[in-house]
Amino acid sequence: MENKKLNFDKFKVSPRKGSNIKKTIAVMSGKGGVGKSSVTSLIASKLRKDGKKIAILDADITGPSIPQAFGIEDRIRALEDGAMIPAKSKSGIEIMSINLVLDSKTSPVVWRSSIVTNVLKQFYSEADWGDLDYLLIDMPPGTSDIPLTVFQSLNIDGVIAVTTPQDLVGMVVEKSLNMAKMMGKPILGIVENMSYFKAPDTGKVYKIFGEGATDDIANKFAIDTVSKLAINPKITKMIDEGRIEDVEEKDLDNIIKKIKNL
Ligand SMILES: Nc1ncnc2c1ncn2[C@@H]1O[C@H](COP(=O)(O)OP(=O)(O)O)[C@@H](O)[C@H]1O
Ligand SMILES: [Mg+2]
């Protein structure tokens, strides 16, 4: 049998007229709780501070945490022509998240995955994004339906993988990297989150979770950018207070540089 190249073009959806997105970047991880939403929020905040036009599509439909990080109380508005107007953060980052549509922040999303993927496509294609330098997509963990939909249906220019130093997470992040590779998406870099802790009084560095496998994985996949993000209690606090935009995080400088050169 002929070995045909897979063609996903028929699944593609496009942003609505008037939305011009220069680059779309998906942030993924092998498992939950590694700091994917925090990293997405920090990267978005820095790019915005540097004058870029930024939006975040919160694709973690069943566990949305982007609105909390930015302290968004606004809702997404729908116009009569079907356009959806994203909510805006204090610094002007546009945000689409299911939590900004539900009646209450604590309402669970109990939909079948076919509906969830349709909501995601709708957010992407019906939002009035305007002119964007970067759209960041905060993906749910793993390699399930939603990441597959994001890769097949949206126009993705690059992928950032987030992991932590523990071995198991390292192994799991390889699944994500392999998925991105399979789908032909360029991997911009890996963020090893909670990589170390620097004592504020002595400046001594502690590798709380041990030495990570991230550099080895990056080598294996020929990825040239690894950011090592410290455990920073300020990140936790500011997310709780909805003020992630006030955090300055030098540890992500190299991945941000990579994004700017995309
Ligand atoms: N580098 C960090 N330092 C301190 N706390 C962090 C850091 N990264 C993430 N956190 C905290 O860990 C929790 C989980 O992070 P989150 O970004 O929601 O993970 P994910 O999106 O991968 O599930 C959050 O409450 C966040 O405040
Ligand atoms: Mg998250």
Side-chain angles (χ1 to χ4, degrees), residues 32-38 65 193-194 229-233 235-236 239:
V34 297
K36 186 167 23 59
S37 301
S38 310
S65 44
N193 189 21
M194 309 191 202
L229 176 56
I231 297 171
N232 177 356
I235 294 177
T236 327
I239 287 179

Side-chain angles (χ1 to χ4, degrees), residues 13-19 21 57 76-86 94 96 101 117-130 135 154:
V13 287
S14 305
R16 64 184 285 118
K17 234 174 123 199
S19 292
I21 305 168
L57 173 53
I76 290 167
R77 288 182 300 126
L79 302 185
E80 285 200 351
D81 67 354
M84 293 194 245
I85 310 295
E94 299 190 90
M96 289 292 285
V101 181
T117 52
N118 277 330
V119 168
L120 174 69
K121 285 194 222 170
Q122 218 181 343
F123 275 9
Y124 176 73
S125 60
E126 291 175 17
D128 185 0
W129 299 112
L135 172 64
L154 281 47

